[in-house]
Amino acid sequence: MSKDSDVEQATKPESGVVQVEPAIAEEPQSTTPTTVSTTTTVIAVTNGEKPVEVTPATPATAEQVQPATTIAGIELATPTATATSPSTGSGKANMDPALINFKVLYVLTQLCGLTMIVLVGTWIGQHFGGLGGTSNPKLEFNWHPLFMTIGFIYLYGNSILIYRGFRTTRKKTLKLTHAGIHMAAFILTVIALKTVFDSHNLANPPIPNMYSLHSWLGLSAVIIFSLQYVAGFVAFLAPGLRENYRVAMMPLHIYFGLFGFVLAIASAVMGLTEKAIFALQNPAYSTLPPAGVLANVIGVLYVVFGALVVYLATEPSYKRKPIPEDTALLNSSSVNE
């Protein structure tokens, strides 16, 4: 059938064919069929049913079109559409109750962590003489609880939450930030360990090392943290590893990361109690002096901070979805597989 006869047939209201009105003004009819050029051709087939009226659809804007995108079976999050009217409020993501709850708990976690650091500084400054060097082993020891609190608890916890706290940032940037925060925590932890060993070895008489449960669990947490860092760097940052190995490593990476963090919290609570019992003699810790009360408050903050971090990191509804900017990273990983 020729093109002209197709156009002529489309103007007849036959059964099974929808009559489509031209988008431009009608020209006077003539004996010669006129070909209508339009940018969009709409064809509707009704299979013998009653024809229905078809109206041209309004072209969708770039903000309204959000195609579902999947890479290797992973659903990518699409940008939230802009509100069509002032009464609709912010985007869908901002109205998500789970995301609102996450933001509230995330801010609470940060406030708890910062308060914890401030109170540790106040504790060692007002009740234990402040900070010092190797010439004064007792004051040098005070670097240990301060740096452990900043590095091995606060930074460690924030490194765990980096993927969920900054969910709109590209995955590659989050990986580098995650590794960078871990490295800062590791450096502070090494300094804290050096100060505690110096304070024991340089004391007169020397104090034995590694005899308490606090030291056993603390050193175990540091070893797990170090091995976890090396394994994570090789699996997720170093090039050349096959994607299936990375997928297999991810559950272990998550588990041992959280396990090491919980172990660090437990060790820190025992270390506070040990320090309070040995150092608070007049008045004794059993009489609950201000230094003892402050030590207990810091321990409670340790536990609350750890519980919030673990909850935010394990709650499924708070999980970060890949964003379209991660497509290139996912594609490159699929190519290397």
Side-chain angles (χ1 to χ4, degrees):
M1 184 180 292
S2 64
K3 181 178 181 182
D4 294 338
S5 60
D6 291 341
V7 175
E8 184 177 358
Q9 184 179 1
T11 60
K12 297 179 181 181
E14 295 178 355
S15 176
V17 180
V18 177
Q19 184 175 0
V20 181
E21 297 181 1
I24 62 174
E26 296 182 357
E27 297 291 341
Q29 296 181 356
S30 61
T31 58
T32 304
T34 304
T35 302
V36 179
S37 176
T38 58
T39 57
T40 304
T41 303
V42 180
I43 299 177
V45 179
T46 61
N47 295 327
E49 299 178 359
K50 184 179 179 180
V52 295
E53 183 178 358
V54 179
T55 57
T58 305
T61 61
E63 294 177 347
Q64 293 173 337
V65 178
Q66 297 182 10
T69 306
T70 57
I71 300 295
I74 302 176
E75 181 181 356
L76 299 181
T78 55
T80 305
T82 305
T84 57
S85 62
S87 60
T88 58
S90 59
K92 180 180 178 181
N94 292 333
M95 294 187 295
D96 186 3
L99 186 57
I100 294 175
N101 293 338
F102 174 82
K103 290 181 178 179
V104 173
L105 292 177
Y106 186 79
V107 171
L108 182 62
T109 303
Q110 299 304 317
L111 292 176
C112 181
L114 294 175
T115 303
M116 178 177 65
I117 295 173
V118 171
L119 291 184
V120 170
T122 303
W123 189 57
I124 63 179
Q126 292 189 355
H127 301 285
F128 295 103
L131 304 171
T134 56
S135 59
N136 192 333
K138 288 185 178 180
L139 296 185
E140 186 184 8
F141 171 85
N142 292 337
W143 289 103
H144 178 74
L146 181 62
F147 279 176
M148 280 296 188
T149 302
I150 297 174
F152 211 41
I153 297 180
Y154 182 72
L155 291 182
Y156 193 173
N158 276 279
S159 181
I160 293 174
L161 296 179
I162 193 69
Y163 289 98
R164 300 194 173 192
F166 298 88
R167 57 184 66 242
T168 59
T169 306
R170 292 188 61 181
K171 188 71 172 290
K172 185 175 183 180
T173 303
L174 291 177
K175 282 185 177 183
L176 295 175
T177 306
H178 179 73
I181 296 177
H182 262 47
M183 177 56 69
F186 177 77
I187 293 173
L188 291 178
T189 300
V190 170
I191 297 175
L193 289 177
K194 181 182 183 304
T195 59
V196 71
F197 280 107
D198 283 349
S199 66
H200 285 187
N201 296 331
L202 298 178
N204 189 16
I207 301 174
N209 293 309
M210 302 299 300
Y211 68 90
S212 65
L213 182 60
H214 161 68
S215 61
W216 285 21
L217 293 183
L219 188 60
S220 299
V222 173
I223 293 174
I224 292 174
F225 177 86
S226 303
L227 296 176
Q228 171 81 352
Y229 187 86
V230 174
F233 184 87
V234 172
F236 304 108
L237 282 179
L241 191 67
R242 294 175 61 88
E243 184 65 22
N244 54 346
Y245 293 132
R246 296 183 179 183
V247 173
M249 279 287 297
M250 182 58 71
L252 296 175
H253 185 71
I254 294 174
Y255 172 78
F256 282 103
L258 289 174
F259 176 71
F261 176 72
V262 172
L263 195 59
I265 295 290
S267 177
V269 172
M270 287 190 293
L272 277 176
T273 304
E274 182 180 306
K275 176 67 175 177
I277 292 175
F278 289 161
L280 300 180
Q281 298 294 336
N282 189 19
Y285 179 47
S286 59
T287 63
L288 208 62
V293 173
L294 188 54
N296 292 350
V297 171
I298 294 171
V300 171
L301 289 176
Y302 282 162
V303 174
V304 173
F305 180 80
L308 288 172
V309 169
V310 172
Y311 174 71
L312 292 177
T314 57
E315 172 58 34
S317 61
Y318 299 156
K319 186 176 181 180
R320 173 189 180 273
K321 290 185 178 181
I323 59 177
E325 287 78 0
D326 296 335
T327 304
L329 184 62
L330 292 173
N331 284 332
S332 62
S333 299
S334 300
V335 170
N336 295 330
E337 187 176 353

